[in-house]
Amino acid sequence: MSPSTLSTSSTLARTLAADLSTAPPGARVTLQGWLHRRRDLARVTFLVVRDRSGLAQVVVAAGGAELPPGCSEEAALEVSGTVAANPAAPGGVEVVDPTVTVLGEPAGPPSVELWRPQPTASLPVLLDRAPVAWRHPRQKALWQLSAAALAGFRSTLDHSGFTEIQTPKVVGQVTESGANVFRLDWFGEPAFLAQSPQLYKQQLVGVFERVYETGPVFRAEPHDTVRHLAEYVSLDVELGFVRDHRDVLAVLRDAVAGMLESVRRSPAAQLLGVDVPVMPDEVPVIHFADALALVGAPEDEPDLAPAHERALGAWAREVHGSDFVAVEGYPMTKRPFYTHPQPDDPRWSNSFDLLFRGLELVTGGQRLHRHEDYVAAIEARGETPEAYADYLQAFAAGMPPHGGFAIGLERFTARLAQVDNVREVTLFPRDLHRLRP
Amino acid sequence: MSPSTLSTSSTLARTLAADLSTAPPGARVTLQGWLHRRRDLARVTFLVVRDRSGLAQVVVAAGGAELPPGCSEEAALEVSGTVAANPAAPGGVEVVDPTVTVLGEPAGPPSVELWRPQPTASLPVLLDRAPVAWRHPRQKALWQLSAAALAGFRSTLDHSGFTEIQTPKVVGQVTESGANVFRLDWFGEPAFLAQSPQLYKQQLVGVFERVYETGPVFRAEPHDTVRHLAEYVSLDVELGFVRDHRDVLAVLRDAVAGMLESVRRSPAAQLLGVDVPVMPDEVPVIHFADALALVGAPEDEPDLAPAHERALGAWAREVHGSDFVAVEGYPMTKRPFYTHPQPDDPRWSNSFDLLFRGLELVTGGQRLHRHEDYVAAIEARGETPEAYADYLQAFAAGMPPHGGFAIGLERFTARLAQVDNVREVTLFPRDLHRLRP
């Protein structure tokens, strides 16, 4: 019997590619990563090693150490060698006189040529080969924008008195809309995948006042477009004790500002050359009715067309110097049943869309908070309050004025990176035609 | 047309209950919250207001301002008044001469008596009334332990070079185990809810080296026990370029230490009087074979019984002064197909369980990383590698030695809070019998 204690100190002092330029010439270093590119020239072999931080160049001189078998592109390697200055290498340094160990040998050439500046395969092929395609530095950086945005979102809210929640993704009742819902078998009972945490996050305002959730939502939308996914990541916020939707918009402004700031600081944004917008201290706000007039649309239009949103984006840029503009007061008829009407004119609602460079980015607003208002709104839809009994418990127990919003992570990142198709920024997209890999 | 800009400055200077004690006596303050308790005495009425930070006492003298209608327990209120010292009040201060506004009137008395020190209803009743029951300060604090643990988990990994990932929860193939999986209809195709992000997080080690995910997993386990949920939150980690499972265990040690530290700093831990354990710098590790010998079990036992785990917990406490002990080397026959064998004796595996006070808390280990090892392991199960084609793409492209672990959030919190039933720390539990609220 020989119980031992775990040593947490590593015997391997590993150097990341991004830190190589800070190592003094002549220093011995050990790199770990994948063989991104191998070029065999007459008198020298160049190895480019890719790790989580970036790329490093390794030079194997002819007559030097033999390279081991399996040292082909995408092999997982460990390389020990000596740092040498070379202005032509990434970061101005390279590793010479290396000892190369293959930690994981590929079974064949990679299915995507990862060393090219851009992957050359079509998007459907890249999606089929996602486990390999995501290794491309540009692809990887696209996801890192999402990860940075997520971190900035949570950090902003964590510092503003919000509690993170985790609500169920399998529900016993469809409430928001009977359409576009995935059905499943729950121990013999019918159940559904949650289309949003909307009803739960409202209930939890009654507990924590201010809540957020980052998690998957599911929409069985039969739309085959560049903007729709059937499973996506929703960043949800809900807060109580608001005066109206303007207080919600102020939190949205701060959350998006935090996301942008986090993205701005990320190496991925620099690698991709992302033009990260500046969130103004004061977001320009225009009422829906005024927006229709501004863009020259008939005053009885029920919604803004994409051309209208683009025109509003241009107006915000020109008049307010802002990439962002909020439209408030959408017609009640176009908003879900829990939407709070505009107190002085109930044709309009206390809801908003936030547009980014003329594209809708976020939807939110104030919700109803009185139990009797819910009962009336549900009956007005021809439904019975009994169908909403669990949800209504929260309102029967006393709820303050509250509101919130939801940001689709993939759409946010796609717009930031200015890619057309949300699938380009989704690790493993799910849609009408795609359930794998 | 009157476009305006959004003012982010609030006209309401709100004071949180927890900050009331720092306000000077005589100051005018405004509280917002729920009426936690109302006691009408002959000459005075006491209102206890509950907000996200805690409780505050408000005193309404007879002959003072009338309380408005609807000012009953669980009403959402705004209270403006004057701070006065009172050693008997929470924090040594109370609010006197109040003006009370009802922001949200309850439809009736709350279904749970929230002002009692402990909710008196049975657990099934509390679960049915979750939207109200979670308002209880002790209940709320239980979830806040989870939220703090989540934040500590992410923060630790964010500072250790990990990338957060979000992988799909609907999958086209069942791979880990055909049993205990929920089936659903995906646009007419059969699909399944993901039992874990295991196969995805491994693939993404090939991209980001070090990844984590916090999200729901689904197990159609027909177990009606205090430890099993059919949907729970899994904290998943996977990292590449490890020497073996001991490097994984070192990251687990740091992640759990970060979770505990975050919990320790949370007001919820203080409110609940949680005895937060100390994570030792070096976790005691014992081999499975040695563990069997230590607890006096036959050497051909394939697993540790609960009594064995308790004995190991006592041993770790006594010999190493540690609430934690890791058992490594579980028999290969008891571990999933992707498990890496112990190099010097392939009967055993490079896997581990982390026990906390004699209860299994986390499972993890090193995985296979060579493509040919996967092909052999899958064929040894009587399956074809073609069924795992998407997963195997990552290994065909070259993968380093890697490993990881998964922590069940609800189980972690339950053990920390020393509650028997994971449902006590789950906002809206899902199990064999429960699909609502």
Side-chain angles (χ1 to χ4, degrees), chain A residues 32 42 49 84 88 91 97 107 110 126 137 155 162 186 215 218 234 290 317 365-366 373 379 384 406 427-428:
Chain A
Q32 291 180 324
V49 175
D97 298 326
L126 292 176
S155 161
F162 283 79
W186 185 267
F218 306 88
S234 182
D290 298 328
R317 180 76 259 171
Q366 186 184 355
D373 291 344
E379 288 176 343
T384 68
L427 289 173
F428 298 96

Side-chain angles (χ1 to χ4, degrees), chain B residues 101-185:
Chain B
T101 310
V102 175
L103 303 174
E105 189 174 341
S111 57
V112 178
E113 288 187 318
L114 296 166
W115 55 269
R116 290 188 185 276
Q118 299 274 357
T120 53
S122 70
L123 184 59
V125 169
L126 292 176
L127 296 177
D128 285 343
R129 299 175 185 172
V132 180
W134 277 106
R135 295 187 181 191
H136 191 282
R138 289 189 67 86
Q139 282 292 119
K140 181 161 69 162
L142 285 172
W143 175 260
Q144 285 166 332
L145 296 182
S146 286
L150 262 174
F153 174 83
R154 290 202 199 92
S155 163
T156 304
L157 296 168
D158 286 342
H159 288 91
S160 307
F162 283 80
T163 298
E164 179 174 1
I165 57 173
Q166 301 273 344
T167 67
K169 302 309 159 202
V170 180
V171 294
Q173 284 175 304
V174 185
T175 41
E176 277 205 75
S177 148
N180 300 345
V181 66
F182 289 110
R183 290 169 166 71
L184 71 134
D185 172 27

Side-chain angles (χ1 to χ4, degrees), chain A residues 72-128:
Chain A
S72 57
E73 279 160 11
E74 290 312 302
L77 300 182
E78 183 170 301
V79 178
S80 294
T82 304
V83 176
N86 176 356
V93 291
E94 61 191 13
V95 172
V96 299
D97 298 326
T99 306
V100 177
T101 310
V102 175
L103 303 175
E105 188 174 342
S111 57
V112 178
E113 287 187 318
L114 296 166
W115 55 270
R116 292 189 184 276
Q118 298 275 356
T120 53
S122 70
L123 183 59
V125 169
L126 292 176
L127 296 177
D128 284 344

Side-chain angles (χ1 to χ4, degrees), chain A residues 1-8 10-11 14 32-34 50-52 74 76-77 103-108 128-129 131-132 134-135 140 143-144 147 150 154 160-161 163-172 182-187 190-191 193 200 203-210 216 218 220-222 230-231 233 241 243 246 249-250 253 281-286 290 294 315 320 369 371 390 393-394 396-401 427-428 430-432 434-437, chain B residues 1-8 10-11 14 32-34 50-52 74 76-77 103-108 128-129 131-132 134-135 140 143-144 147 150 154 160-161 163-172 182-187 190-191 193 200 203-210 216 218 220-222 230-231 233 241 243 246 249-250 253 281-286 290 294 315 320 369 371 390 393-394 396-401 427-428 430-432 434-437:
Chain A
M1 190 180 339
S2 55
S4 60
T5 57
L6 169 68
S7 167
T8 54
S10 174
T11 55
R14 174 185 174 190
Q32 291 180 324
W34 287 264
R50 183 188 73 242
D51 68 15
R52 67 178 186 264
E74 290 312 302
L77 300 182
L103 303 175
E105 188 174 342
D128 284 344
R129 298 175 184 173
V132 181
W134 277 106
R135 294 187 181 191
K140 181 161 70 162
W143 175 260
Q144 284 166 332
L150 263 173
R154 291 202 198 92
S160 307
T163 298
E164 180 174 0
I165 57 172
Q166 302 273 345
T167 66
K169 303 309 158 202
V170 180
V171 295
F182 289 109
R183 288 169 167 73
L184 70 133
D185 171 26
W186 185 267
F187 301 111
L193 291 184
Y200 289 106
Q203 295 170 44
L204 292 171
V205 163
V207 177
F208 303 108
E209 284 189 34
R210 306 181 143 216
F218 306 88
E221 294 189 26
E231 175 178 352
V233 178
F241 299 104
R243 286 162 303 181
R246 290 285 187 108
L249 196 47
R253 184 245 157 244
D281 291 342
E282 313 260 313
V283 177
V285 182
I286 184 168
D290 298 328
L294 185 75
W315 168 80
H320 292 281
H369 61 280
H371 187 262
D390 289 329
Q393 285 190 61
M399 279 285 278
L427 289 173
F428 298 96
R430 293 290 182 259
D431 62 29
L432 189 54
R434 187 170 286 278
L435 195 48
R436 53 162 290 269
Chain B
M1 191 182 338
S2 55
S4 60
T5 57
L6 169 69
S7 168
T8 54
S10 175
T11 55
R14 175 184 174 190
Q32 292 179 324
W34 287 263
R50 183 188 73 241
D51 67 16
R52 67 177 187 263
E74 289 312 301
L77 300 181
L103 303 174
E105 189 174 341
D128 285 343
R129 299 175 185 172
V132 180
W134 277 106
R135 295 187 181 191
K140 181 161 69 162
W143 175 260
Q144 285 166 332
L150 262 174
R154 290 202 199 92
S160 307
T163 298
E164 179 174 1
I165 57 173
Q166 301 273 344
T167 67
K169 302 309 159 202
V170 180
V171 294
F182 289 110
R183 290 169 166 71
L184 71 134
D185 172 27
W186 185 267
F187 301 112
L193 292 183
Y200 288 106
Q203 294 170 45
L204 291 172
V205 163
V207 177
F208 304 108
E209 283 189 34
R210 307 182 141 215
F218 306 89
E221 295 188 25
E231 175 179 352
V233 178
F241 299 104
R243 285 164 303 182
R246 290 284 188 109
L249 196 47
R253 184 244 158 243
D281 292 340
E282 313 260 313
V283 178
V285 182
I286 184 168
D290 297 328
L294 185 76
W315 168 80
H320 292 280
H369 61 280
H371 187 262
D390 289 328
Q393 285 189 60
M399 279 285 279
L427 290 173
F428 298 97
R430 294 291 182 260
D431 62 29
L432 189 55
R434 187 169 285 278
L435 195 47
R436 53 162 293 269

